[in-house]
Structures are given as structure tokens and as C-alpha cells.
Amino acid sequence: MKLLPKPYFLLTIAAFLWVASDSSNASAREFEKRFDGTIKGGSFSISNVLITCDTDDTRCDGAKNFTNAFYKNDPFEMVNVDVDSDASTFNSSTADLALPSDATILHAELYWSGVYTDSGAPHKFTAPLDASKKNEVLFKVPDGNYVTVVGDVDEDAEGLGFYQGHADVTSLINGSGTYGIANVQLTTGKHMYGGWTLVVIVESDLEPYRRVVLWDGFLRNENGSNGITLPNTLGDGEQEILSADLNVVLYDGDKANNDSLLVDGNLFVPKNPNPTTDPAAAGDFGNSSITKFGERFEDRNPFYKNTLGYDNDVFDILPLLDTNFDVELEFKTGADVIHIGVIGVQSEIEPEDDESDHCPDRGPRGHGHHGHGYHGHGHHGHGQHGHGNHRSRAHSHQKRHDKKKGKKNKKSRKKSHKRKR
């Protein structure tokens, strides 16, 4: 496993999303473009929870497996998950990361999120909670020991205790295997959630050429909508888009609360992983899941189908796109508070002669990019959780995009220039 020499990163960018939101919604931190590049390679993302319902509650097992009607974290006393045998940790969980055999590490970003509040009942504090350590977590790489990682913290704009931490862990990544997170400062009790995500960006000759853009921020959405424009996010406006995948990490998205997403004004309807036993998941965007194209990512400990408030999902958005330049998203919720933390878009494109020499741009803190293998599965046909079948999925949409190409390019450029002014 190779780490990219630091001189490779030559450019720094500071770009922000254009956001239109209801007055009830606010950003603790506007979304920033962490990485933007066209490379032969991809991004691999893994996640897991750090709190779940108390098994003393007879409804808990059914809730974690979507086999009863108790889908939300609201009625449960949420407690810490602690899967390691280390007496010094009060919460911990793991997930398996699989990278291409020839991967060169470009960047790795660790995210963690939950609620920290001292507002009293119905919340419970579990020692040794320490508000000054919300920016610290323990991080373990394959065959390694825990090390302390210190990052930055985004806090809810309304002061309700929701927060997201994030840190650059590029120098710590040592290849495929089991990664663990521990000692995240989380309030337990009713209405609580907690979990983490690791995004690892690599170059690999086993992966196709992609335009990859990664954004992160902390955007609150309560009983309304947030319109987000991702400018200059797909191809260069001239290239043919062969596939387009959207990765979203959002927090406290309870299933059956009718959270929804529109892409370029078109309603996205996510695939239901369990249509027979879990009918309430149909059409619900923020549904407490960790999935890739509707299939659950299972290589994690503990594995719960229902994360009770933590989402990391990857979707095919090619059929919904109106341009091959910008992406417009609209997040809606009817009876919930959600926070959006990470947005990644990757689009497979036909390589140009000089693309192998294209240097990706790092974001404000030197971050990376999204490509293959979101949710750990790499080059073996699992796509963004490991891709592999993009060309076949894109083929049915290719003719439609070809016909609209000229009109789309003109339209997208005008929109982008207008926003910049």
C-alpha cells in the first residue's frame, strides 16, 4: 500500500455550495469542496453505529432488524455499542475496508456524529463524557492499536447538541482490513443517534477514469427543505457521462418519516432492501441505513439493518440528471430534524489523452475524492460500496444523454456562471 508523496498536491481550492433553505433551517458550516479531480481510481467509504437500543427493551431486537413497527430511535433508551475487549473504551465499533491491490492512498477523512447535550431527561449521560473532547476519537487500523485522532467539530446552529467531527487520517491508513472507532462523546437516552464514516480515496489502475468531487459541511433541515446546488461537479460540460453516483451521509434520519430527495427537480425513489418485511422503507430517503444501490453493507461489527438514525448511502442518479455539469439537490423532511454531513458525487467519463497526468485539487484542508467502493467493497463488482457494473447501468441512459448533450451543456454553463455572479 502506497501513500502519495505530499508534493503531489499542488492546488488548494475554497468552493462553497449554493444553498437555498427554509427559514427554519440553518448551516452550522456551509458545505466546502474537499476534493475535485479527474483520476483513475476511486473512493471507498465504510460506516457503523456507536449507539443502539437497549436490549432490555423487548422491542429492540425487532427494531434493529426491521421486523417490527418500531423503526425510530425516539421510543428507545439508546445505549453505547462496545464491541472491543478494551476496558478503556466506553463505545466502539468496526467495519471492513477493501481496497484495490495496487491502490495509492490520496486522502482519508474520518467523520463522526451524534448528540452531546446536558438538557436532562429523557437523556442519560454515561461517564466519562467530556464536552471538551468532542473533537477527539480513538482510531484503530488493521493489526494496530488505538491512537488518538484530533479533528474539527461542527455544531448545530440551533444549539440543540447535534455535532459532527472530522479529521484527516491519511497517514494512518495501512490498506485493507478492519478499522475501528471508539470513545466518541455521545449522549445516550431517547431520541439519540451516533456513528462514524471513513472515506479513503485512492488511485488505481484497476479503476476507471472518473470526475470525483467530495463536499462536507453541517446543514440542518427541520420540517422543510434545503436546496443545494453542486456547481461544476460532473464532467467538464463537454465529456460524456457514463455513470453518476451520489453518496450522502446524513444524521438522525428516522425511517418512515418521509424524508425525500430531488435530483435536478426529479424525485429520487430509493430501492427498498426488504420490500416484504420492511414496506415502510419504500420511498423514504433518510431511513437509518448503510447501503449501496439498495443493498446493505454487512461487513461491520455490530451489523444492524436499522442503524436507528445514521445513514450512509450510495445511489445511481444518472437517470435523474438534467445537465452534465452541475447537480441540484433538494432535501425534504416532513416530521423530523436531519443533518446532512457529507455529499460525494462521482461520474465515470471517457478518458482523454492527457487525463492520466491530471492533478486533483485538494480542498481547504487537503481532502480527497470519491470514486469506487463506497462501503468497503472494492474492485470486485460491488462498486461504490464498490462499483463494477457502471457501464451496464449507464448504457440504458446513454442515448438520452447523447441527444440532450448540446442543450444541457449550454444550459449548465449559463446556470453556473449566473451563480458565480
Side-chain angles (χ1 to χ4, degrees):
M1 188 59 53
K2 298 173 288 184
L3 287 175
L4 196 69
K6 288 187 180 297
Y8 183 83
F9 293 107
L10 303 176
L11 301 177
T12 299
I13 55 176
F16 298 89
L17 295 176
W18 181 83
V19 178
S21 63
D22 290 350
S23 58
S24 59
N25 302 319
S27 294
R29 177 169 64 87
E30 295 291 343
F31 272 71
E32 300 173 76
K33 185 185 282 187
R34 291 293 171 190
F35 180 89
D36 185 358
T38 301
I39 65 168
K40 204 172 188 300
S43 171
F44 296 75
S45 169
I46 55 176
S47 291
N48 210 351
V49 298
L50 285 164
I51 64 175
T52 190
C53 53
D54 191 336
T55 54
D56 289 342
D57 190 322
T58 58
R59 304 168 296 177
C60 179
D61 286 340
K64 289 188 291 189
N65 291 288
F66 286 131
T67 56
N68 62 24
F70 298 98
Y71 307 127
K72 306 177 183 181
N73 55 29
D74 299 350
F76 292 108
E77 295 291 341
M78 300 290 284
V79 297
N80 282 313
V81 167
D82 198 4
V83 300
D84 63 23
S85 56
D86 189 330
S88 69
T89 65
F90 50 87
N91 58 37
S92 65
S93 64
T94 67
D96 294 347
L97 176 69
L99 298 174
S101 58
D102 67 339
T104 295
I105 307 297
L106 300 183
H107 180 76
E109 186 78 1
L110 181 64
Y111 300 92
W112 59 95
S113 182
V115 181
Y116 187 101
T117 178
D118 57 0
S119 62
H123 313 305
K124 295 181 178 179
F125 284 89
T126 304
L129 284 180
D130 184 343
S132 69
K133 294 185 176 181
K134 288 188 291 185
N135 66 329
E136 295 183 13
V137 297
L138 296 181
F139 181 55
K140 181 189 291 187
V141 302
D143 301 319
N145 298 314
Y146 282 122
V147 297
T148 299
V149 169
V150 179
D152 299 318
V153 172
D154 308 313
E155 300 190 74
D156 180 77
E158 301 296 318
L160 298 180
F162 296 91
Y163 81 96
Q164 173 183 258
H166 51 103
D168 182 339
V169 292
T170 307
S171 64
L172 301 177
I173 303 302
N174 66 354
S176 301
T178 300
Y179 287 78
I181 308 297
N183 283 7
V184 177
Q185 305 294 317
L186 300 171
T187 301
T188 56
K190 293 183 178 180
H191 310 285
M192 300 293 102
Y193 77 92
W196 59 273
T197 295
L198 173 66
V199 179
V200 180
I201 302 97
V202 305
E203 281 192 322
S204 167
D205 286 336
L206 301 175
E207 301 293 319
Y209 283 98
R210 291 185 176 88
R211 167 75 185 279
V212 182
V213 184
L214 173 66
W215 308 78
D216 63 38
F218 201 50
L219 179 64
R220 173 188 176 85
N221 192 352
E222 179 179 5
N223 299 329
S225 66
N226 274 311
I228 299 175
T229 296
L230 308 174
N232 187 16
T233 292
L234 297 169
D236 62 4
E238 301 294 340
Q239 297 161 308
E240 180 182 355
I241 306 300
L242 302 178
S243 71
D245 299 330
L246 173 70
N247 181 209
V248 176
V249 179
L250 65 83
Y251 310 122
D252 207 20
D254 293 319
K255 191 168 75 73
N257 266 1
N258 298 318
D259 303 323
S260 62
L261 170 67
L262 281 75
V263 179
D264 284 353
N266 301 304
L267 179 65
F268 173 76
V269 180
K271 177 183 175 182
N272 185 352
N274 300 301
T276 302
T277 59
D278 184 19
D284 187 15
F285 179 73
N287 57 13
S288 295
S289 63
I290 300 174
T291 67
K292 189 267 303 191
F293 306 126
E295 303 298 326
R296 299 193 190 282
F297 170 59
E298 299 183 5
D299 297 333
R300 48 194 171 98
N301 182 25
F303 167 63
Y304 305 136
K305 292 180 179 178
N306 185 357
T307 62
L308 291 168
Y310 197 96
D311 278 272
N312 183 0
D313 300 289
V314 178
F315 313 99
D316 173 15
I317 60 170
L318 183 63
L320 305 177
L321 295 176
D322 283 340
T323 79
N324 59 349
F325 196 62
D326 299 345
V327 178
E328 294 184 355
L329 306 176
E330 185 176 2
F331 295 91
K332 292 185 176 182
T333 182
D336 203 1
V337 177
I338 63 173
H339 285 78
I340 304 154
V342 183
I343 299 174
V345 177
Q346 64 175 14
S347 50
E348 183 180 347
I349 57 178
E350 289 288 359
E352 297 177 354
D353 292 340
D354 61 347
E355 274 185 352
S356 60
D357 298 323
H358 183 81
C359 182
D361 300 343
R362 302 181 78 193
R365 292 181 55 246
H367 301 330
H369 121 115
H370 273 92
H372 248 62
Y374 290 109
H375 296 242
H377 307 284
H379 174 71
H380 310 292
H382 295 287
Q384 217 170 332
H385 306 247
H387 299 304
N389 62 344
H390 276 179
R391 290 182 183 272
S392 60
R393 287 190 294 109
H395 182 73
S396 62
H397 312 302
Q398 190 167 323
K399 289 184 178 180
R400 178 177 62 85
H401 279 258
D402 287 344
K403 290 178 181 179
K404 295 183 178 180
K405 193 172 184 181
K407 181 169 67 175
K408 288 177 182 177
N409 291 344
K410 184 176 180 180
K411 175 183 175 183
S412 60
R413 288 195 196 95
K414 287 182 177 178
K415 288 196 299 181
S416 178
H417 295 163
K418 182 176 181 181
R419 292 186 195 107
K420 288 179 182 178
R421 290 196 296 268

